[in-house]
Amino acid sequence: MASAVFPRQKTRFLPDINEKSPVKASLQRKEMKKPNRGSGERERIQTTTMNAGEIAQFRYSLHQNLCVSMLQEGFHRSFKEFFSLLQRWKADRLAAGPDSKLWLTHSLEEQPHKLEKLKEHLTRAEAAQRADQYVEVYESHLALAKFFSEPEDMWLRHHFYKLSLKAAREVKTDSSRREAEANAHLAHLYLERGDLELAQEHFEMFHHLAVGQSWQDESGHTHLFRSCESLCRVYTLLAQRQLQCREYLVAIQLLKQAYEMTKEAGDKKMEGEAAYRLGLAYQSMGNQTTAKQILNIFMEISTALGDMESLGKAYKAIAKSLESEGKISDAIEHLQKYLEVCQENNQHENLQDAYMCLGSIHISQAEYERSCEYFTQAFEMACSLDLKPCIQKAEVCLGIARAHSMLRAYTTHLQTNMPPNVCTLISWKETREDKFHEALRESAGFTHCS
Amino acid sequence: MSISPLANPKGTKKLCELCEKPAHLQCTNCRVTFYCDAAHQQADWNSIHEKVCELLISVRTPAPFYCFQADRDFHHMQSLKRLEHITELSHAAAKSWVSVGKYSEAIPAAQLSLRCAIDIYGPDVVELVPAYLLLAEANIGLGSLSQAESCLSQAEWMVMKNPGCSQTVLHLLHRTLGRLYSATGDYSSALLHFANDVYYASEEFGLDSVVTAGGYFLMANVFVKQEKTDIANSLYSEVASTWHAHLSKLMESYSQKEHEGAQYFDVAHCAEVNRMLSVLLEAQQQDVNTHPAYSTTLAHSLGQRALLSHSLAMLWFLCNDHKKALDFGRKAAEFSQQCEHNSLAESIQSLIQQAETHLKPEQTPIIHH
């Protein structure tokens, strides 16, 4: 029947010279066979060494070969995963358009080592999953996530962290340690990406699972400590975002949570810093008494730790609170302490800052002489440290303070309007010497007395 | 009507339509088809000739003499069109024979379709591949593997010569090749070809399409023969979920469109799907019988059985066989009640209700008579 299938040959007038007549063919075969059987055998060996798989390697793309070999071994889930990941990348790229950054990056298909790694771990995971060994599933997904460490592969990392979390939930024997770790990984990724809410959710899960367990990571910290630390960071970041929108109440709530976390973590330094931030938030809301209380805690912690820089910060912050409450003398006292602390510990930049603060508080109290002194010191300090913006600021402040201090004498000269006064004014205007400013004051005092 | 080969004019050979031997019989209706004996004529008549007898006349009679080129061109175009029509007709007929499982009936139709395709497109082109594949499939079904192999190697060669041919063609080619190798018992080659089939199908139709699921199903059958039941089971469940999703979607569109009109499955397709789903269901039942110990697998398999019965119920519902739909729907409800967390119960209930409402008007006239 088969002969009927193939095209009907039109009969030709002359026989086709290319056509093999059966007689000829059989003759040729005999000739071929007889002289050297060895070569025939060799040929056979050569042909057998090249199997279908090897041919496929040359003919098709690596992507296709990997897919086919996975399917051939029955790893259809891996294939699905692999295939959909590549498709997703393509779709993302198309959606992003030719102007985007994604358009120029290398596709996965151009990076054979990544494809092979993917295949290796995916198949291992599937084999393990078939045998209900979720620990290994978790580990191979985690290995994949860690393998894709480059920033451009973040979406893959995200995907595999998610999968590892899923696998970890199935592991029943380790009292959810792996689940906690998977949550932590995922949360760190979200934090890196800037999805603070998601990060918060997963860190909270991590914390919830880590409570009451004594798990430790490679560096010797407990998981609980890590979770508290990370949560504190996330809460702080969230609070900062709220502060920018001037949502003080929400921000304070978050900062309080952060503070609680640091307390739970038991790290005094972190606790102090959290307290400082909370204090500042209260300050910006206007609740000075609470702010002071909390800043005092910060101060105590700093003194206990001997952290002089933080102590200085504490004094400064408390001084600010006191100033806005109107207790200027107390504020000045605290600022003096700040100054002392800085001087004792050779913190030059903070010292400069302290001088500036003192200068401004005095200028606000109309004590121009004092403020002049402080500003001069600040200016000198800034010059010696070569801090451009600070130099400029100090210059301007100093100028303002001097001007203020001269203003009274100057106006009295103008008001008395006697020839000597006018002369002094004129001579001052000509020279504009610094010394004159004291002379002016003296003469002003003189005129007052008379 | 009988003819004698010796009485033919010189140079013209009348050959049998099926086997290409010298012909002794002529179809009295069209007078352009010849057969070596009555058996072949009967076979051809049953398979396809009945449908195309009239059409063949105009195609096979030699062109009358036309004076003008325009007339000749017109005639040529006309006959090409007719040929195309015949090709399509015979292809469809062969396909439906194959899917029903009557392979010997399929072969004459497949042959005719191939022959017409060659007349249209010439001997070595990709367009012939589907016809070759169909013929090969019929031959595999009949068990004449060498014939099938020769057809397939023809097809493979054509594909090889045309590197840019479509994914659909490649997918079909590999599927048929896989079928051939699983019939010959060369399971590793069969798997290789099915793997390629799935790859091309998912490139063309997407990962979740039923076409891809068909490839998975064939692969799973090979794994069953290799006695790798765990792999086969995971593949089966994949197929089941794909089909379930597909059928649910169809059901949804059915209920949205309110009414029939649109036919979702033709008879052949329905039979094929039914066969596949029944195999899946049976495999699940066997699985339970062989491994009764694990409670987890039991729950899993109950879920699977509910899923499959539901799929079958939906299938029969869409094929307008409401009685069967009701039967399977009840079965599905039973299974889903047994397993603990069932998300299917609701849709199963609604399906049963729909089937009942359809059944009532069908039954009432019977009661009256």
Side-chain angles (χ1 to χ4, degrees):
Chain A
M1 271 192 188
S3 59
V5 169
F6 303 117
R8 285 180 175 174
Q9 299 277 322
K10 280 179 185 155
T11 46
R12 298 187 192 191
F13 181 63
L14 288 171
D16 189 356
I17 49 168
N18 293 325
E19 193 182 34
K20 280 183 187 167
S21 71
V23 183
K24 236 183 180 175
S26 67
L27 273 176
Q28 275 176 348
R29 220 173 292 145
K30 268 180 197 166
E31 277 168 30
M32 286 283 283
K33 265 184 188 171
K34 268 185 185 171
N36 43 355
R37 190 165 286 172
S39 80
E41 234 169 57
R42 207 178 305 142
E43 210 170 82
R44 209 191 65 224
I45 291 163
Q46 273 177 355
T47 48
T48 45
T49 48
M50 196 80 173
N51 61 12
E54 280 165 36
I55 294 168
Q57 272 186 3
F58 291 109
R59 280 191 67 191
Y60 306 117
S61 63
L62 178 70
H63 166 225
Q64 181 176 350
N65 281 323
L66 289 178
C67 282
V68 167
S69 72
M70 269 188 270
L71 280 168
Q72 214 179 335
E73 291 153 30
F75 293 116
H76 66 102
R77 287 208 186 91
S78 315
F79 161 73
K80 215 170 174 181
E81 195 73 54
F82 187 82
F83 197 85
S84 58
L85 279 177
L86 289 176
Q87 267 191 341
R88 190 173 133 196
W89 192 86
K90 274 184 203 159
D92 283 353
R93 184 164 173 270
L94 274 183
D99 297 334
S100 65
K101 235 198 235 166
L102 205 59
W103 196 262
L104 299 173
T105 51
H106 284 289
S107 79
L108 273 181
E109 285 171 52
E110 292 162 27
Q111 303 171 48
H113 68 286
K114 285 189 184 171
L115 289 184
E116 271 157 17
K117 202 81 179 176
L118 259 177
K119 185 206 157 185
E120 183 194 329
H121 285 289
L122 280 176
T123 48
R124 219 173 66 196
E126 193 177 347
Q129 195 176 354
R130 252 187 236 144
D132 275 344
Q133 288 169 341
Y134 283 98
V135 179
E136 194 162 341
V137 177
Y138 167 75
E139 267 160 19
S140 41
H141 282 156
L142 195 63
L144 268 178
K146 293 214 164 125
F147 174 74
F148 291 107
S149 55
E150 290 163 37
E152 61 184 28
D153 291 329
M154 193 190 259
W155 63 284
L156 280 170
R157 201 155 67 234
H158 175 218
H159 181 81
F160 286 111
Y161 274 141
K162 260 180 155 172
L163 282 185
S164 68
L165 176 60
K166 213 168 150 192
R169 285 196 183 129
E170 303 285 333
V171 179
K172 304 281 184 237
T173 50
D174 64 345
S175 57
S176 309
R177 175 177 180 163
R178 285 189 181 77
E179 190 182 340
E181 282 170 12
N183 267 311
H185 289 309
L186 201 55
H188 276 296
L189 183 102
Y190 283 128
L191 191 62
E192 197 181 329
R193 237 170 44 171
D195 283 339
L196 293 180
E197 283 81 10
L198 282 168
Q200 179 196 352
E201 189 183 307
H202 285 282
F203 273 132
E204 272 168 5
M205 197 71 203
F206 176 40
H207 179 240
H208 173 72
L209 290 167
V211 168
Q213 308 280 2
S214 58
W215 302 324
Q216 286 192 342
D217 57 7
E218 300 88 23
S219 56
H221 292 286
T222 59
H223 279 12
L224 186 64
F225 174 76
R226 287 275 174 220
S227 72
C228 291
E229 189 186 3
S230 312
L231 263 177
C232 167
R233 204 159 97 223
V234 172
Y235 286 140
T236 313
L237 284 170
L238 277 169
Q240 275 166 3
R241 196 185 276 174
Q242 295 294 341
L243 280 177
Q244 275 171 1
C245 316
R246 302 187 177 281
E247 297 278 348
Y248 293 116
L249 281 176
V250 188
I252 282 172
Q253 203 58 41
L254 284 163
L255 284 171
K256 262 186 191 162
Q257 275 175 311
Y259 180 56
E260 292 300 316
M261 279 299 133
T262 53
K263 260 189 187 169
E264 200 177 328
D267 184 336
K268 280 287 168 191
K269 190 168 159 47
M270 250 167 34
E271 191 182 331
E273 271 161 22
Y276 175 59
R277 280 190 290 265
L278 185 57
L280 287 189
Y282 273 120
Q283 224 171 53
S284 49
M285 202 179 75
N287 190 348
Q288 304 299 348
T289 41
T290 326
K292 267 193 306 189
Q293 278 171 12
I294 290 165
L295 286 170
N296 275 324
I297 297 173
F298 176 45
M299 199 170 76
E300 278 160 24
I301 291 171
S302 306
T303 29
L305 288 175
D307 184 351
M308 287 306 153
E309 199 176 338
S310 304
L311 190 61
K313 262 188 347 194
Y315 281 132
K316 187 185 167 188
I318 292 171
K320 204 177 158 198
S321 276
L322 287 168
E323 189 188 341
S324 43
E325 270 184 329
K327 296 175 182 165
I328 303 297
S329 55
D330 288 346
I332 290 175
E333 200 175 298
H334 275 93
L335 281 176
Q336 292 287 2
K337 277 184 195 162
Y338 178 32
L339 192 67
E340 277 164 30
V341 168
C342 295
Q343 274 168 342
E344 277 167 24
N345 297 287
N346 290 330
Q347 295 161 352
H348 296 294
E349 285 176 30
N350 284 342
L351 189 59
Q352 198 262 343
D353 184 48
Y355 282 133
M356 288 296 286
C357 290
L358 274 167
S360 358
I361 200 165
H362 281 300
I363 211 173
S364 69
Q365 295 306 306
E367 295 170 6
Y368 303 116
E369 303 301 316
R370 278 272 188 80
S371 73
C372 264
E373 279 167 33
Y374 284 122
F375 280 135
T376 321
Q377 271 169 320
F379 175 67
E380 279 161 9
M381 207 70 220
C383 284
S384 67
L385 291 172
D386 198 21
L387 302 166
K388 280 272 160 54
C390 293
I391 293 174
Q392 283 169 0
K393 201 176 165 195
E395 267 174 355
V396 172
C397 290
L398 184 56
I400 293 169
R402 281 248 171 95
H404 275 299
S405 65
M406 282 165 66
L407 196 62
R408 233 162 100 201
Y410 182 73
T411 42
T412 44
H413 271 299
L414 274 184
Q415 278 168 350
T416 45
N417 202 11
M418 301 289 280
N421 300 80
V422 178
C423 279
T424 39
L425 279 176
I426 289 170
S427 67
W428 174 71
K429 284 214 170 183
E430 272 171 357
T431 55
R432 301 226 172 198
E433 264 184 19
D434 203 22
K435 274 190 177 175
F436 171 73
H437 141 234
E438 281 158 31
L440 197 69
R441 203 178 47 185
E442 277 165 21
S443 64
F446 175 66
T447 42
H448 262 287
C449 293
S450 67
Chain B
M1 190 172 79
S2 78
I3 53 163
S4 163
L6 286 177
N8 287 339
K10 194 173 180 190
T12 55
K13 283 181 186 165
K14 309 281 190 210
L15 298 176
C16 174
E17 183 79 6
L18 298 191
C19 62
E20 302 238 310
K21 281 179 191 153
H24 297 278
L25 287 174
Q26 184 181 25
C27 172
T28 50
N29 203 8
C30 62
R31 292 174 167 273
V32 288
T33 30
F34 304 93
Y35 301 96
C36 59
D37 56 15
H40 277 182
Q41 188 174 12
Q42 190 61 45
D44 193 24
W45 183 261
N46 285 343
S47 165
I48 184 71
H49 193 70
E50 186 180 3
K51 290 176 196 158
V52 295
C53 187
E54 303 285 324
L55 294 168
L56 283 173
I57 302 172
S58 55
V59 174
R60 290 204 177 154
T61 44
F65 181 73
Y66 290 113
C67 293
F68 299 108
Q69 181 68 41
D71 284 343
R72 288 195 286 275
D73 285 347
F74 180 72
H75 181 259
H76 186 64
M77 286 298 295
Q78 284 280 320
S79 61
L80 267 188
K81 251 184 209 163
R82 284 200 192 103
L83 268 175
E84 262 168 38
H85 182 58
I86 294 172
T87 319
E88 274 165 29
L89 210 65
S90 50
H91 192 83
K95 215 171 184 176
S96 69
W97 284 125
V98 166
S99 52
V100 175
K102 295 183 174 169
Y103 298 109
S104 53
E105 272 91 343
I107 282 183
Q111 277 181 6
L112 182 69
S113 121
L114 176 57
R115 211 173 284 154
C116 291
I118 289 171
D119 283 344
I120 300 170
Y121 303 110
D124 273 342
V125 283
V126 188
E127 280 85 349
L128 303 185
V129 174
Y132 273 118
L133 292 180
L134 199 53
L135 194 54
E137 214 177 320
N139 275 318
I140 294 169
L142 275 183
S144 45
L145 297 179
S146 59
Q147 311 260 353
E149 205 170 352
S150 75
C151 286
L152 281 174
S153 40
Q154 283 271 353
E156 220 178 348
W157 176 235
M158 280 164 202
V159 168
M160 206 96 91
K161 281 217 290 202
N162 298 279
C165 61
S166 77
Q167 311 266 11
T168 326
V169 171
L170 285 168
H171 131 73
L172 281 173
L173 172 69
H174 282 291
R175 182 165 293 186
T176 325
L177 274 169
R179 280 208 172 112
L180 173 71
Y181 284 118
S182 58
T184 52
D186 182 356
Y187 294 128
S188 62
S189 305
L191 280 179
L192 173 68
H193 285 294
F194 284 136
N196 271 307
D197 161 34
V198 170
Y199 174 76
Y200 288 122
S202 33
E203 284 264 291
E204 185 68 26
F205 302 100
L207 279 170
D208 298 324
S209 85
V210 285
V211 184
T212 318
Y216 282 140
F217 177 68
L218 290 167
M219 273 179 92
N221 287 345
V222 176
F223 279 118
V224 168
K225 281 178 193 158
Q226 283 185 332
E227 296 183 348
K228 292 178 183 167
T229 36
D230 52 340
I231 301 177
N233 277 337
S234 86
L235 278 165
Y236 276 151
S237 61
E238 175 77 32
V239 175
S241 63
T242 309
W243 265 102
H244 186 258
H246 179 67
L247 284 167
S248 311
K249 216 190 282 170
L250 284 183
M251 277 302 286
E252 214 168 89
S253 73
Y254 174 86
S255 56
Q256 272 172 7
K257 264 187 235 158
E258 279 304 308
H259 269 297
E260 297 83 60
Q263 201 189 358
Y264 292 98
F265 293 97
D266 53 13
V267 180
H269 193 187
C270 173
E272 201 180 324
V273 177
N274 177 34
R275 208 181 328 142
M276 188 168 83
L277 290 176
S278 312
V279 168
L280 294 182
L281 195 58
E282 221 164 86
Q284 281 301 334
Q285 245 135 14
Q286 269 187 4
D287 195 39
V288 174
N289 293 341
T290 46
H291 307 283
Y294 303 114
S295 59
T296 50
T297 51
L298 185 70
H300 175 74
S301 123
L302 268 177
Q304 281 289 314
R305 272 147 80 182
L307 194 80
L308 282 165
S309 312
H310 185 209
S311 306
L312 273 168
M314 285 194 282
L315 174 70
W316 286 119
F317 184 80
L318 290 171
C319 294
N320 290 323
D321 191 336
H322 301 294
K323 205 158 185 317
K324 275 190 184 172
L326 201 59
D327 286 349
F328 278 112
R330 291 209 173 114
K331 233 189 232 178
E334 204 176 292
F335 285 132
S336 74
Q337 270 169 11
Q338 281 172 22
C339 63
E340 289 142 16
H341 40 87
N342 43 359
S343 50
L344 288 174
E346 227 169 84
S347 52
I348 292 173
Q349 281 308 324
S350 78
L351 180 71
I352 290 175
Q353 278 172 5
Q354 269 181 318
E356 273 168 353
T357 51
H358 277 277
L359 265 182
K360 267 176 199 160
E362 278 172 31
Q363 280 174 345
T364 39
I366 303 167
I367 297 162
H368 279 294
H369 280 297

